[in-house]
Amino acid sequence: MNRKRALISDAFKVKRFRNETQKFGAVSKGDGPTDIRSTLETLMTLFPRKLFNDSLPQIVMKHQLYSIHNDKTLVDKELNKLREQGELLMFQLGFDADAFGLVFASDYKAKVLAGEDGRATRATVEKFLEKLPSACTELSFSKDKMLKEFRFTDSEITQLVKSGVLTVRDAGSWWLSIPNSGKFTKYFIQGRKAVLNMVKKSKYSEVLKTELEERRTTSHVKFQMKYHIHDIVGAELVESIPTTSGTLLRFVDS
Amino acid sequence: MLDSSSFLNLQRVLSLKLNPDRDVDRIHGNGINTIDIEAVEGRYMLSGGADGVIVIYDLENYSRKLQYTCKAVCTVGRSSRYVHKFSVETVQWYPYDTGMFVSSSFDKTMKVWDTETLKPAEVFEFEGNVYSHHLSPIARKHSLIAVGTTDPKIQLCDLKSGSRIHVLQGHRAEILSVRWSPRYDHILATASADSKVKVWDVRRASGSLFTLDQHNGDKSKASSEAVNTAHNGRVNGLCFTGDGLYLLTTGTDDRMRLWNSATGENTLVNYGKVCNESRKRLQFTVSRGCSPEFVFVPCGSSVAVYALHTGELVTMLRGHYNNVDCCEFHPDYQELYTGGKDCNILAWVPAPRAPDVEEESKSANQAAADQSSVNPAFQDAWSSDED
């Protein structure tokens, strides 16, 4: 009687015990290098370009990818590969030690140059952008590096800070940054707080993901709901629980 | 290298469940802070509680029934003259036989006990609370006990002579965890509230070998204050893998990191958020004998199981009524024992499977451990629906 079931070797399945390793409703795509890129592009489309009058390149947070792909280590590795190839830039946005923003290098260069049109600092910024591909894996630059490796003068560094491409980190070192991204950070944090509150105030502090996506957003939430949901799930600010009615998001008290 | 025994062990670990048939005697009246299973036979387990009580259990099943309770063999209870005055934070068997064990406590003492008489053969006194101590599991040339207390200096005490041999200086805040390498008997890892983890060679007179750096020397990644730190918070948990090649650390920044123990390099495996609210040492453990390996980390009132090298959260083991404080893996049977604030020690045993008609191979491991799996009550005696 057991012969029929044992024909396919179930040596790799521990499925007799239907425990929590079964996932329903979770979107977990195959993890190949192209898949991370396509996930990035999908997430980029969620970014609201009109809100900033198209002056900002599309920004995606690194942890938003964790909400789509299960294997965080693999995501990290693939992102590092893309950065080394010079296609992707990573930024330390400043509000969280772990929150990194990702922008396609071509996008970044295009927007920065467009923003620098007609400004006195344009030449210096162009020079800096040309040096970027070689420095694609750095998040910050120290004074030493700027002066010796890149051969910028002090006044040129000041110009770069003025234009917003560099932000002061501490005495003698600068973060790589996106010009005019202050508004982005402000709206992002505001929206994140508002969405988290929506989850927290729901009954039992939990809400189905599909339901949350359909809720009316207050004026505090300027980005698309999906953008914020990927953010809070990836940053583990809410617990993502698979249920028979879809994914449930439960507020994590910490 | 995937041989049949490690593969079968892997299956066993993946099917860990709370076993209703295996109970551990409930002796502690207060939370259980630490447990240790002796390495020689894997038969006796020590536990230390928040009330200072120490209990020894026999894990072997002599009752011939499926359901059995691991009985407490003896106890150093509140009535003993030598019992610790405050909570016991660490207990460890002497690595070579069960004639001796060492316990350390918040009463600022570390006691070396004779198991037969349950009297301390040696008492070491310290200036501050003792968070953690550890004896090297493989040392033959020395019998040093590394002790971590509220003092930033790590003490090395000699078990045989009863004196303090050495002091390791370098940390700037209290030492929350100390661990000897299971591969080299002179390598010691220490974790401190100053966010740093240092690896020492105790044969050298100079300072530490290296300090673990979460950014692997990449100074551009974080703010300048975070140079050479293992975590962005207190580091309160240390665990070497069974082969000693990797070291796991946990910190109050809710992260767990896997390091190459020879080079100190951060392997950058991303486990996500590993909840850590412990103000003391976090006792977590790694499986041994299966491939791939798993990490068991107490997380609130459940135990999170992560795959060691991919960082994936495999499952959460739920069963305790209150916070889980410690867990220990039994290498011979791939079982997990956890103790917590609800005064219970729970045994997580791989769930028994009904044997397939085709299945012939059973490795020696399984044969020894299969006391419960071929019980007639679990065999499928009904005819199949598909017939």
Side-chain angles (χ1 to χ4, degrees):
Chain A
M1 59 177 163
N2 269 332
R3 275 199 108 83
K4 283 190 190 172
R5 287 190 232 134
L7 274 178
I8 299 172
S9 166
D10 63 348
F12 286 94
K13 301 186 219 161
V14 200
K15 287 242 189 95
R16 284 171 203 265
F17 323 106
R18 287 191 150 258
N19 54 16
E20 309 84 86
T21 50
Q22 290 271 19
K23 289 193 195 289
F24 343 89
V27 186
S28 99
K29 304 181 190 161
D31 284 338
T34 43
D35 279 325
I36 301 279
R37 189 172 237 282
S38 56
T39 319
L40 268 175
E41 279 161 14
T42 332
L43 284 171
M44 294 268 180
T45 58
L46 294 172
F47 182 82
R49 296 162 74 183
K50 282 213 186 117
L51 191 63
F52 303 105
N53 291 327
D54 235 6
S55 60
L56 279 185
Q58 289 161 315
I59 309 172
V60 165
M61 306 296 283
K62 180 165 97 155
H63 57 259
Q64 281 174 323
L65 286 159
Y66 297 156
S67 74
I68 301 182
H69 292 273
N70 272 331
D71 194 342
K72 298 185 177 76
T73 316
L74 198 65
V75 170
D76 285 347
K77 279 200 192 135
E78 293 299 325
L79 287 177
N80 278 333
K81 264 198 223 159
L82 286 171
R83 285 172 69 210
E84 273 159 27
Q85 285 168 5
E87 289 179 32
L88 199 65
L89 286 170
M90 194 155 95
F91 300 92
Q92 168 65 275
L93 292 169
F95 58 86
D96 194 353
D98 276 332
F100 295 103
L102 299 168
V103 182
F104 280 121
S106 48
D107 240 351
Y108 179 72
K109 285 189 188 149
K111 297 288 185 202
V112 170
L113 285 175
E116 283 295 308
D117 242 341
R119 287 223 212 138
T121 49
R122 194 196 161 110
T124 331
V125 173
E126 261 184 47
K127 191 172 159 196
F128 182 71
L129 287 178
E130 267 155 48
K131 307 269 181 169
L132 260 192
S134 57
C136 236
T137 53
E138 300 287 305
L139 273 93
S140 79
F141 306 98
S142 69
K143 194 160 186 178
D144 260 349
K145 196 164 187 181
M146 294 296 282
L147 291 175
K148 293 185 186 146
E149 237 183 271
F150 295 156
R151 301 191 182 278
F152 281 110
T153 61
D154 260 334
S155 62
E156 284 180 322
I157 298 179
T158 320
Q159 284 187 338
L160 288 171
V161 174
K162 238 174 143 187
S163 68
V165 172
L166 290 178
T167 313
V168 170
R169 179 181 156 201
D170 63 43
S173 68
W174 298 270
W175 293 115
L176 185 66
S177 85
I178 309 166
N180 303 322
S181 59
K183 234 178 166 190
F184 166 77
T185 316
K186 179 172 151 196
Y187 289 154
F188 183 78
I189 299 178
Q190 219 180 32
R192 186 199 247 193
K193 236 172 153 186
V195 173
L196 275 177
N197 265 334
M198 279 166 78
V199 180
K200 196 170 166 195
K201 293 209 171 123
S202 303
K203 195 172 183 193
Y204 305 124
S205 297
E206 60 190 22
V207 66
L208 283 174
K209 191 157 128 178
T210 42
E211 198 199 305
L212 188 63
E213 279 166 13
E214 278 158 30
R215 286 234 193 134
R216 259 203 317 157
T217 57
T218 62
S219 59
H220 284 292
V221 181
K222 308 254 197 264
F223 296 169
Q224 274 192 50
M225 192 47 125
K226 282 200 177 169
Y227 192 81
H228 280 297
I229 291 182
H230 280 302
D231 165 49
I232 57 179
V233 171
E236 293 184 86
L237 296 167
V238 290
E239 215 183 309
S240 180
I241 302 160
T243 65
T244 45
S245 335
T247 320
L248 184 72
L249 302 175
R250 183 179 289 152
F251 184 74
V252 167
D253 221 359
S254 59
Chain B
M1 182 194 81
L2 191 75
D3 60 60
S4 62
S5 66
S6 64
F7 170 70
L8 288 160
N9 293 349
L10 160 69
Q11 277 197 279
R12 291 173 68 76
V13 170
L14 284 175
S15 66
L16 276 178
K17 264 173 84 154
L18 190 56
N19 190 332
D21 298 328
R22 176 99 51 95
D23 235 342
V24 176
D25 235 358
R26 199 178 167 171
I27 306 285
H28 283 281
N30 247 317
I32 295 155
N33 282 336
T34 173
I35 48 182
D36 186 42
I37 302 176
E38 47 104 357
V40 182
E41 271 182 279
R43 184 175 159 185
Y44 295 103
M45 179 165 76
L46 262 180
S47 73
D51 47 7
V53 168
I54 299 170
V55 186
I56 301 175
Y57 309 86
D58 180 348
L59 301 176
E60 203 71 11
N61 181 11
Y62 291 112
S63 69
R64 284 169 187 250
K65 285 186 282 179
L66 202 58
Q67 205 164 21
Y68 75 99
T69 307
C70 300
K71 289 280 171 212
V73 171
C74 52
T75 312
V76 177
R78 298 298 318 158
S79 52
S80 158
R81 207 154 61 138
Y82 311 102
V83 72
H84 279 288
K85 295 194 177 38
F86 296 124
S87 79
V88 173
E89 294 299 316
T90 318
V91 282
Q92 191 191 0
W93 285 105
Y94 179 57
Y96 304 111
D97 60 58
T98 52
M100 196 158 56
F101 61 90
V102 186
S103 69
S104 63
S105 150
F106 270 8
D107 66 358
K108 308 185 192 181
T109 65
M110 178 167 74
K111 299 190 180 178
V112 180
W113 302 80
D114 176 341
T115 320
E116 206 81 24
T117 59
L118 283 188
K119 287 193 193 144
E122 194 72 59
V123 179
F124 294 91
E125 290 186 17
F126 299 93
E127 306 263 304
N129 289 348
V130 183
Y131 283 112
S132 162
H133 77 259
H134 198 229
L135 280 105
S136 171
I138 47 164
R140 291 278 172 198
K141 295 183 218 136
H142 70 77
S143 53
L144 293 174
I145 314 177
V147 189
T149 68
T150 51
D151 187 354
K153 299 197 276 274
I154 298 134
Q155 301 261 17
L156 292 176
C157 303
D158 185 17
L159 186 62
K160 300 236 157 79
S161 65
S163 56
R164 286 136 207 257
I165 304 273
H166 205 18
V167 162
L168 300 173
Q169 302 213 38
H171 280 294
R172 301 229 180 104
E174 44 191 29
I175 310 297
L176 294 171
S177 185
V178 292
R179 237 27 217 190
W180 291 92
S181 160
R183 199 175 177 85
Y184 302 111
D185 62 2
H186 52 268
I187 299 289
L188 175 70
T190 58
S192 165
D194 65 359
S195 314
K196 299 200 177 152
V197 173
K198 285 183 188 280
V199 177
W200 312 79
D201 177 344
V202 297
R203 301 170 304 187
R204 286 209 205 163
S206 59
S208 57
L209 274 181
F210 48 82
T211 308
L212 297 182
D213 180 3
Q214 56 176 311
H215 302 294
N216 283 337
D218 184 0
K219 298 216 169 46
S220 73
K221 273 245 159 104
S223 60
S224 331
E225 302 93 57
V227 160
N228 262 354
T229 53
H231 284 268
N232 294 325
R234 299 151 64 96
V235 190
N236 56 13
L238 279 180
C239 189
F240 276 95
T241 53
D243 52 19
L245 295 174
Y246 293 98
L247 173 63
L248 278 160
T249 60
T250 56
T252 52
D253 58 349
D254 288 346
R255 297 277 175 266
M256 179 158 69
R257 301 197 206 275
L258 183 70
W259 310 81
N260 178 324
S261 62
T263 60
E265 186 200 334
N266 183 353
T267 59
L268 299 175
V269 175
N270 194 332
Y271 298 96
K273 188 170 171 189
V274 179
C275 290
N276 188 337
E277 284 158 3
S278 176
R279 290 207 56 93
K280 314 179 290 189
R281 177 175 79 109
L282 181 69
Q283 187 178 351
F284 64 101
T285 186
V286 183
S287 64
R288 285 187 287 291
C290 47
S291 162
E293 303 283 8
F294 298 95
V295 191
F296 302 92
V297 187
C299 183
S301 59
S302 28
V303 179
V305 185
Y306 295 95
L308 181 69
H309 289 287
T310 65
E312 194 192 328
L313 176 65
V314 174
T315 184
M316 297 285 282
L317 300 173
R318 288 175 224 273
H320 277 279
Y321 299 125
N322 207 326
N323 286 347
V324 178
D325 283 322
C326 52
C327 54
E328 192 63 37
F329 193 72
H330 194 315
D332 301 333
Y333 304 141
Q334 281 76 49
E335 295 166 350
L336 184 74
Y337 287 87
T338 55
K341 279 208 179 58
D342 57 358
C343 317
N344 282 326
I345 298 181
L346 295 180
W348 306 82
V349 176
R353 291 169 48 185
D356 282 333
V357 174
E358 314 278 334
E359 193 183 62
E360 300 284 285
S361 63
K362 279 196 185 213
S363 69
N365 262 350
Q366 259 217 327
D370 261 355
Q371 0 148 312
S372 48
S373 79
V374 199
N375 185 313
F378 290 91
Q379 270 179 1
D380 186 1
W382 296 87
S383 61
S384 163
D385 295 337
E386 288 126 61
D387 278 339

